[in-house]
Amino acid sequence: MEKRPFLPLPGIPRHFVLVPDMAGGLRGLEVARAMGLLGGESATGLAPPGLLSAVGAGRFMGVPWWQALVRELEQAAGQPLVHVLDCGASAPHAAMALAQGQRMAVLAGAGRQHDAVRALYRQEGGLLLACRPPTIGL
C-alpha cells in the first residue's frame, strides 16, 4: 500500500506526541515542553501538541483505555490536548470509537465500510484521518 503524506488541516495541531503508553506519553510531553509547546504562552508561538496513539491501538487497547490515558496526560500537561486514536484499517473499531465519544481517529485503507465510517464521522462532526500525522522525535 502506498504511504500518503500527512497534510495539516485546520484545527489539527502541527505537532503530535506519540503515546504508546503512560511512560511514553509523559516522555513525549517533556520533549514538547522543552520545545516550548506546553505551558502558558508558548515562547515559540506554536500551538500545543496533539496526542497520537500507537498504530492500531483502537483495535487492541480500545477507546476506554485511550480516553483514560488522555485524561491523565492532560492533567500532567496542565491543559486539554487534541487526541487521535489510531484504529489501523479496522472500520468497525473506528465506528465503535466514534460511538464511545472519540472525535478524532485514524482509519487506514479503503472500501465500502471505510466510506460508511467516514460518512458517520462527517455526520457527527468528528474527523477521521486517512493517515497518521507525524510525531515529534524523542
Side-chain angles (χ1 to χ4, degrees), residues 82-106:
V82 170
H83 54 94
V84 179
L85 177 62
D86 189 317
C87 295
S90 176
H93 282 92
M96 192 170 19
L98 180 64
Q100 293 177 337
Q102 183 64 38
R103 307 307 297 161
M104 296 177 75
V106 174

Side-chain angles (χ1 to χ4, degrees), residues 1 4 88-89 107-111 114-115 118 130:
M1 175 193 267
R4 296 187 297 194
L107 177 61
H114 291 73
D115 293 342
R118 285 187 183 91

Side-chain angles (χ1 to χ4, degrees), residues 21-96:
D21 54 28
M22 185 63 167
L26 289 172
R27 279 192 305 277
L29 290 178
E30 287 173 16
V31 171
R33 196 174 309 281
M35 291 174 64
L37 300 175
L38 283 176
E41 280 300 311
S42 168
T44 60
L46 298 172
L51 304 175
L52 178 64
S53 76
V55 175
R59 289 189 336 263
F60 63 86
M61 294 305 288
V63 178
W65 166 83
W66 174 246
Q67 291 178 344
L69 184 56
V70 165
R71 283 190 298 275
E72 289 184 44
L73 290 170
E74 286 176 331
Q75 271 190 318
Q79 64 189 85
L81 299 168
V82 170
H83 54 94
V84 179
L85 177 62
D86 189 317
C87 295
S90 176
H93 282 92
M96 192 170 19

